[in-house]
């Protein structure tokens, strides 16, 4: 299954730190969760309401119900939540 997360981060003065967190620590945390197989992160090259995209390959939808996902802050942005906008996610 593919788990897709889109969002915007409209704070250019903190964008470098945001990218370091999400592209490093956040992806490492998710990949430590049983059921997360791989993760990639992208940024759009054209202006769009949600330019950031993370694509995760997961074993099944049940991974999101497990304590191992919730215990590491799954479904949140690790303290950056108030700065993230246009957040949406889908499971395919």
């Amino acid at each position: 299954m593919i788990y897709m997360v889109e969002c915007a981060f409209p704070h250019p003065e903190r964008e470098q730190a945001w990218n370091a967190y999400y592209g490093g620590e956040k992806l490492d945390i998710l990949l430590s969760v049983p059921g997360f197989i791989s993760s990639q992160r992208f940024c759009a090259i054209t202006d769009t309401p949600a330019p950031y995209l993370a694509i995760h390959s997961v074993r099944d939808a049940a991974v999101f119900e497990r304590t191992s996902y919730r215990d590491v802050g799954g479904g949140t942005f690790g303290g950056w939540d108030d700065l993230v906008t246009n957040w949406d996610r889908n499971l395919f």
Side-chain angles (χ1 to χ4, degrees):
M1 301 186 92
I2 301 295
Y3 173 48
M4 182 183 83
V5 179
E6 295 177 284
C7 69
F9 191 83
H11 306 278
E13 71 285 358
R14 299 196 58 199
E15 197 162 12
Q16 185 176 0
W18 158 253
N19 285 321
Y21 163 73
Y22 203 115
E25 180 183 345
K26 176 67 173 177
L27 291 185
D28 290 344
I29 289 168
L30 290 175
L31 288 171
S32 75
V33 174
F36 270 77
I37 299 164
S38 64
S39 293
Q40 293 180 293
R41 187 164 175 261
F42 305 92
C43 186
I45 58 173
T46 59
D47 192 31
T48 181
Y52 286 103
L53 170 67
I55 298 175
H56 312 281
S57 177
V58 295
R59 183 174 41 233
D60 54 35
V63 71
F64 303 106
E65 304 303 321
R66 294 188 186 109
T67 330
S68 57
Y69 175 69
R70 290 190 305 270
D71 283 353
V72 296
T76 70
F77 293 103
W80 295 87
D81 300 73
D82 292 343
L83 301 174
V84 174
T85 63
N86 298 335
W87 179 68
D88 194 20
R89 61 184 177 175
N90 289 292
L91 186 61
F92 300 89

